[in-house]
Amino acid sequence: MQLIVEMHSGSHLYGTSTAQSDLDYKGVFLPTARDILLQRVPATICEGPQKAPGQRNLPGAVDRDLFSLQRYLELLADGQTLALEMLFAPDSAIIGNPHPLWREIQANRHRLLCRKVEAALRYSQRQAHRFGIRGQRVNATAMARDWLREAERSLGPGAPLADADPDKVLEGDHPHIGFVDLQMPGGVQVRHLEVCGKKLSFQASIGNARDVMERLMAEYGRRSLDSAAANGIDWKSMAHAVRIGRQTVELMMTGHITLPRPDAMEILAIRQGQVPVDQVEAIVEDMQQQAENAAGTSHLPEQPDMLFMEELILRAYRAQVCESIGIDGTASD
């Protein structure tokens, strides 16, 4: 394996790193001739500390992700944010001297870009809304679960939910808790307590209702629990959405992404929860409108130059194989 380029990524590339930041490295490699010929080139090589699902890195931890040349260009053709950030990474972020092939890739940026970057923007915005809301949902579920636990202790698990005085759980005026009347078989209307979309019949036992809330809590991932602890907001997702949105607009309007980010301090402030959430949500929504407007006037092509990408891969892989067997690999097909 031969490295084409390796660079700092994440917060150290954006200019938003702190003492608690981990270290992210991204790179592109040329596979060995043996792997090329045996058609077993790994798309990605990942190195980093072992973590449980949802567990975040400790400060100073190192993650290293290397992409084969072919995989990297596939990500770029798909408009993936990670690949685009690598393409525009400044020399100050690059470790050592990159392979001449990387300089060729940089020199041909205009042939590698396309409007598919909108997909990455939409994804980041969905993540922001999803996790911003989900933290509040976790809090609502925990509130209902704790109330049901107390009711079970005082009334017993077999008592009907109606005996637990469900009005008490609404004292917090939470947007994800309410009542709904549902028509049951026979036309009978039965009141239900609704918590984050889960409907608990007043006729059901307190123990059964508590089990439902326990299972719902177990379904939430670590990221959702973290956002609940931060007053229901996943600030990391919100900061990512703002940064990616601005990068997308800049790319579609200018064909360039500035790194480190000129708004790094604002992005860091959002990440640390120092900006009001309604202000951040307004920025995210504004980014969507700006991106739609920019897409209508952008000079970026609908698709990248796929033939150029294929020729680049073919030439690089051919050279690897020919060098390994000691022949001239510069001849064309």
Side-chain angles (χ1 to χ4, degrees), residues 216-259:
L216 186 57
M217 281 296 296
E219 291 175 4
Y220 291 120
R222 171 53 52 190
R223 190 169 183 182
S224 298
L225 298 175
D226 288 347
S227 66
N231 297 319
I233 303 299
D234 183 343
W235 292 107
K236 183 175 182 179
S237 290
M238 302 297 277
H240 280 337
V242 173
R243 176 182 54 77
I244 293 172
R246 289 175 175 167
Q247 287 178 184
T248 301
V249 171
E250 180 186 10
L251 180 63
M252 286 195 290
M253 293 181 64
T254 69
H256 183 79
I257 295 177
T258 303
L259 294 166

Side-chain angles (χ1 to χ4, degrees), residues 266-320:
E266 181 186 3
I267 299 299
L268 182 58
I270 293 172
R271 174 70 179 85
Q272 295 175 337
Q274 298 173 2
V275 181
V277 65
D278 55 347
Q279 183 177 331
V280 180
E281 289 176 342
I283 294 173
V284 171
E285 292 177 4
D286 183 56
M287 285 299 101
Q288 177 67 52
Q289 187 60 54
Q290 288 189 42
E292 291 176 0
N293 295 339
T297 59
S298 177
H299 295 295
L300 293 182
E302 293 292 336
Q303 298 288 338
D305 189 337
M306 299 302 296
L307 180 59
F308 171 75
M309 289 185 175
E310 289 177 0
E311 290 297 325
L312 193 69
I313 297 166
L314 178 62
R315 175 160 42 88
Y317 284 14
R318 179 196 289 124
Q320 282 287 88

Side-chain angles (χ1 to χ4, degrees), residues 7 18 46 48 82 98 102 110 122 226 232-233 242 259 269 291 308 311:
M7 64 188 67
T18 67
C46 301
L82 169 63
W102 183 250
H110 60 287
R122 288 193 294 272
D226 288 347
I233 303 299
V242 173
L259 294 166
F308 171 75
E311 290 297 325

